[in-house]
Amino acid sequence: MKKNIRSHFLISAPSSNSGKTTLTLGLLRALKNRGMQIQPFKCGPDYIDPIHHTVAAGTQSVNLDTFMSSEKHVREIYHEYGSQADVAVTEGVMGLFDGADKMKGSSAAIAELLNIPVILVVNAKSMAYSAAPLLYGFKNFYKGIKVAGVIFNFVNTESHYRFLQEACADVGIEALGYFQKNENLVIPSRHLGLHISDEINYENIIEKLAEAVSKTIDINRLLEITALKSDRAVNLSKDKETSNSNLKITIAKDEAFSFTYIQNIKVLSGFGEITWFSPLHDKVLPETDFLYLPGGYPELFAGGLSENTSMRDSIKSYCENGGLTYAECGGLMYLGENITDQDGETFEMAGVLDCATSMLSSKMKLGYRIANWEGLEIRGHEFHYSGLIDNGLESERVSITNAKGVKVDTKLYRKNNIFASYMHMYWGENEGFIKKLLTKKSTQAVF
């Protein structure tokens, strides 16, 4: 029988690399193991942490982002997904107050908007009573949020934790426990966040994390101090009107292509029936009217993607015959002529777009993006290391800037009915982007 505790909290930290995700995964699984219904959320545009959240909680994690979408949309999402859960657990992004422009889009902004109590994760390595001024600053810097408690990470011993408890007592923040460093409970990282690999036993690591946090963190007290006093009603908007389309929509999803937003998929489902397929493992593209190739890690699976010649030929044939296609980041890389991995080995790809991509001499491109396409504003983000070799790409007349309005060189490429970009678009609040693609579709192939 479920315990109707109805708690919610946001796990944040003074900075990145404090262990937020590790502790979040352990807490999600520990709560799930108690028989609770858990709803995980992730602040910001990150794709990878929500994938791990979903494994740990057994419930689809959902992004909350006040830059890519409106505050109203974020409130609606939080209510829609969180209202049926016993506990809603939100993982923050970067440091608590780090946003696209000062606090804008930060974890603190989400906490204030949704009135979520904050649980700080503090890296206590080489720190004892100095935690006091650090915690005092985070507690008192901004009155719009409530720092309800703190969990210390990288604590050496029980005696080390007692020094930290003294610091908490003097500041007036409740110490909820600690977590010791354990190399056996670490998920490797890549340049986009925690690693995704079928060679890692995530289930085993997450279960052990749950055991560890249950021993040294007072989960009962955590739930008590973050309990909801009442369910505040949120006025949900009416379902958006969509075209009475009955499109066959096909979306890539496998180890190489996994970066999608659940709200984007929900909007797409209003235009027709969705079929998932694997460019890695399936032999041919299913019958489709609209192909969506999302981002992911195609460079890690370039050999397998290249060897699957029947799928590459099938997708190339679809595209060359005027099939409507949208590809972003990893999808763009796959539709190019080839991918060169970080070891310098080059693999043939679909050969549809006049470009190639390489992981050699790679440089990070990171940040929110605002695109203006003939009066339609689309928000999203860009995060990649691959470099593009332009062999004659053409682009739509789309102006793209960063969060501060400064123009960037990101493009929305087009060839016939193929649209591709390094920008990850968020259309979960506004279906205008999908409608734009449909209206832009040409009836004549130009290959």
Side-chain angles (χ1 to χ4, degrees), residues 95-293:
L96 178 57
F97 295 102
D98 296 326
D101 186 1
K102 293 188 177 180
M103 270 181 59
K104 186 176 181 181
S106 67
S107 303
I110 294 288
E112 180 180 28
L113 175 67
L114 301 174
N115 195 28
I116 310 175
V118 174
I119 303 299
L120 275 180
V121 177
V122 173
N123 182 343
K125 184 179 180 181
S126 305
M127 180 189 293
Y129 192 68
S130 291
L134 174 70
L135 293 172
Y136 181 86
F138 274 84
K139 177 184 178 183
N140 295 289
F141 174 73
Y142 186 70
K143 298 301 183 183
I145 63 171
K146 177 186 177 182
V147 178
V150 59
I151 297 171
F152 293 99
N153 202 6
F154 306 111
V155 173
N156 295 321
T157 61
E158 182 69 32
S159 60
H160 180 195
Y161 178 58
R162 283 197 289 272
F163 284 110
L164 299 167
Q165 284 179 302
E166 291 172 353
C168 288
D170 288 352
V171 172
I173 295 179
E174 189 157 349
L176 296 168
Y178 65 93
F179 193 69
Q180 292 179 309
K181 184 174 181 179
N182 187 331
E183 296 294 344
N184 295 323
L185 301 180
V186 174
I187 297 176
S189 297
R190 275 186 55 78
H191 51 260
L192 298 184
L194 293 186
H195 194 33
I196 298 175
S197 170
D198 53 8
E199 298 177 359
I200 300 173
N201 189 337
Y202 296 103
E203 181 64 29
N204 182 56
I205 292 176
I206 291 170
E207 195 61 45
K208 288 183 177 179
L209 284 172
E211 293 175 13
V213 300
S214 297
K215 291 176 181 177
T216 55
I217 295 173
D218 191 343
I219 296 177
N220 289 333
R221 184 58 183 158
L222 168 62
L223 295 175
E224 287 174 9
I225 66 174
T226 59
L228 283 162
K229 292 181 174 60
S230 63
D231 289 331
R232 295 181 303 156
V234 177
N235 293 321
L236 297 175
S237 62
K238 294 181 180 179
D239 291 336
K240 302 177 182 67
E241 294 183 6
T242 59
S243 303
N244 293 323
S245 302
N246 193 25
L247 298 175
K248 293 184 177 67
I249 301 166
T250 306
I251 306 175
K253 184 177 182 180
D254 56 23
E255 302 93 314
F257 304 98
S258 57
F259 296 173
T260 57
Y261 293 122
I262 186 172
Q263 300 304 120
N264 280 2
I265 303 305
K266 287 184 73 172
V267 166
L268 278 177
S269 68
F271 288 86
E273 182 181 353
I274 291 176
T275 299
W276 303 90
F277 82 107
S278 169
L280 258 178
H281 306 297
D282 295 334
K283 294 303 180 185
V284 294
L285 179 70
E287 183 181 353
T288 185
D289 302 310
F290 177 44
L291 170 62
Y292 174 30
L293 295 168

Side-chain angles (χ1 to χ4, degrees), residues 163 354 396 447:
F163 284 110
D354 304 315
E396 282 287 291
F447 278 84

